[in-house]
Amino acid sequence: MGGEPTEESARGCETAGLHEARWWRPIDRGRVLCYLCPRLCEIGRGKAGFCFIRQNREGKLYSAGYGRSTGFAADPIEKKPLNHFLPGTSVLSFGTAGCNLGCKFCQNWNISKARLDDRSSEVAMPEKVVELAEATGAAGIAYTYNDPVIWAEYAIDIARVARAAGLKNVMVTAGYVTPEARPEVFEYVDAANVDLKAFTEGFYREFTLSHLDPVLDTLVWLRETGVWIEITTLLIPGLNDSAEEIEHECGWIVEHLGPHVPLHFTAFHPAFKMLDRPPTPAATLKMAREIAHRSGIRFCYLGNVHDREAQATACPSCGEVLVRRDWHAIQHYALVGNRCPRCDTEIPGVFHAGAHRGEERRTDGGRYRVRLT
Ligand code: SF4
């Protein structure tokens, strides 16, 4: 079951800080079973799981990514992308190394396929990460770049400290995590962008080396827990961009998650092992957005392209533009709390003032505005 751990992957862990892992049990002959993600790697002594950073040392499982970051950046939250969670704020973003999926089109492959000794990682214990976020004036911390599920022990410890300090926790994930681990992995998470990579099992199996159903289960579970979720689907020409597949995806979202979960379709750019495909045409993105709206999805956005109309948030009742964006910068902000100022429709998301840190805010007749940058 799952990925074959290799000697090469084990070597990748040797220089990183080891921290005893959760979500594992011994099986036989010193081997361990990791049940953090549905890959369920069975890992022999001295070897690592598919994700590279979970390693069996002397019959115990360790997380080699603990306390090691591959670099920090203060990003606009729109870059995650999250358009309905504290728009206009920044989040301290970072990741580690490795990944539990094997996407051939990976857009972050220099991180996700790296071993920790390949990269200049820096030691950053949880309290230090939170201090750094506060020093940058960020509203929260984004666990991103590579999938935080595989370094959940580290992410949870940071998120706990961050919440106590009044910061928000944002996770960018493929949602490939077991039901056993989910409650702890997301315990302190306020918002998540979940990458729904396609809507066929065939695509998941062939191009990501994983499976679709566990991701759908995670989405349904997140929706029930109250974590704010938005979904991203990267449209790859000829592989997951047919009108039929997009209709299925949108129909499933409306039926199982509701029409108010924002959906982002983003443009593919040739990368990693998928250099033989062209970038996603603008017409495909527009088609996908039209299908989403026809299916009942209220908020559909296009990313990785310059399209101000498709990046704006409009009131689904009266059409008033509530947030206008230019790439990730906010140019116009008209929400009054969570409501449309024109027709008073409630807009789903987390928009309240008070969690908006690090930027000047002006109260103007009950309305708050994000300073334009
Ligand atoms: S988290 Fe890593 S080691 Fe654990 S099952 Fe998934 S890929 Fe394997």
Side-chain angles (χ1 to χ4, degrees), residues 2-3 5 23 33-43 48-55 61 99-101 149-151 176 178:
W23 310 291
L33 171 75
C34 175
Y35 57 90
L36 171 54
C37 93
R39 203 169 283 286
L40 302 178
C41 294
E42 296 178 354
I43 309 168
F50 179 93
C51 59
F52 299 122
I53 66 163
R54 302 178 76 78
Q55 184 186 19
L61 190 67
C99 190
N100 56 339
L101 270 66
V149 163
I150 63 168
W151 43 281
Y176 205 56
T178 58

Side-chain angles (χ1 to χ4, degrees), residues 158-169 186-190:
I158 299 169
R160 188 188 301 112
V161 180
R163 177 163 290 182
L167 295 171
K168 301 294 181 189
N169 292 301
F186 290 101
E187 184 175 355
Y188 300 101
V189 172
D190 299 289

Side-chain angles (χ1 to χ4, degrees), residues 47-310:
K47 294 193 174 180
F50 179 93
C51 59
F52 299 122
I53 66 163
R54 302 178 76 78
Q55 184 186 19
N56 178 344
R57 287 269 176 115
E58 304 298 328
K60 269 188 176 178
L61 190 67
Y62 291 85
S63 169
Y66 195 98
R68 293 291 184 116
S69 156
T70 50
F72 293 96
D75 281 339
I77 200 157
E78 286 75 14
K79 202 171 174 183
K80 299 302 99 191
L82 285 170
N83 280 358
H84 290 230
F85 189 83
L86 304 176
T89 57
S90 71
V91 278
L92 182 74
S93 302
F94 75 104
T96 63
C99 190
N100 56 339
L101 270 66
C103 300
K104 294 177 179 163
F105 48 90
C106 184
Q107 312 273 296
N108 274 339
W109 62 270
N110 55 330
I111 290 172
S112 63
K113 297 301 161 203
R115 281 64 153 171
L116 281 162
D117 55 354
D118 289 338
R119 301 189 53 82
S120 53
S121 60
E122 49 187 289
V123 175
M125 297 311 279
E127 290 74 13
K128 281 282 166 212
V129 177
V130 172
E131 276 171 28
L132 186 56
E134 289 181 313
T136 63
I141 296 173
Y143 309 86
T144 181
Y145 302 145
N146 67 331
D147 202 306
V149 163
I150 63 168
W151 43 281
E153 294 88 352
Y154 181 35
I156 290 168
D157 285 355
I158 299 169
R160 188 188 301 112
V161 180
R163 177 163 290 182
L167 295 171
K168 301 294 181 189
N169 292 301
V170 169
M171 199 172 259
V172 181
T173 175
Y176 205 56
V177 56
T178 58
E180 292 81 6
R182 261 187 225 129
E184 287 176 276
V185 170
F186 290 101
E187 184 175 355
Y188 300 101
V189 172
D190 299 289
N193 186 293
V194 179
D195 222 357
L196 181 53
K197 293 172 185 286
F199 209 67
T200 63
E201 170 60 16
F203 179 99
Y204 261 86
R205 199 174 46 238
E206 183 172 354
F207 297 107
T208 74
L209 310 183
S210 65
H211 301 284
L212 172 61
D213 280 350
V215 181
L216 301 184
D217 291 347
T218 298
L219 280 165
V220 170
W221 183 87
L222 280 171
R223 183 77 175 129
E224 285 165 3
T225 60
V227 171
W228 176 254
I229 50 171
E230 303 192 18
I231 296 172
T232 297
T233 299
L234 181 78
L235 292 177
I236 305 175
L239 295 185
N240 66 353
D241 65 341
S242 72
E244 192 188 11
E245 184 170 341
I246 293 164
E247 274 164 18
H248 282 150
E249 175 178 339
C250 294
W252 184 89
I253 291 170
V254 171
E255 185 183 346
H256 295 272
L257 307 177
H260 296 299
V261 172
L263 173 60
H264 302 253
F265 287 116
T266 55
F268 164 81
H269 297 291
F272 194 45
K273 291 182 183 168
M274 200 171 279
L275 300 171
D276 60 334
R277 302 264 155 189
T280 313
T284 302
L285 293 160
K286 281 191 194 306
M287 172 199 72
R289 189 162 182 255
E290 282 166 17
I291 291 172
H293 287 153
R294 267 207 312 277
S295 304
I297 287 180
R298 302 278 203 279
F299 305 97
C300 180
Y301 301 97
L302 301 183
N304 288 351
V305 285
H306 197 208
D307 184 336
R308 283 191 204 148
E309 192 204 326

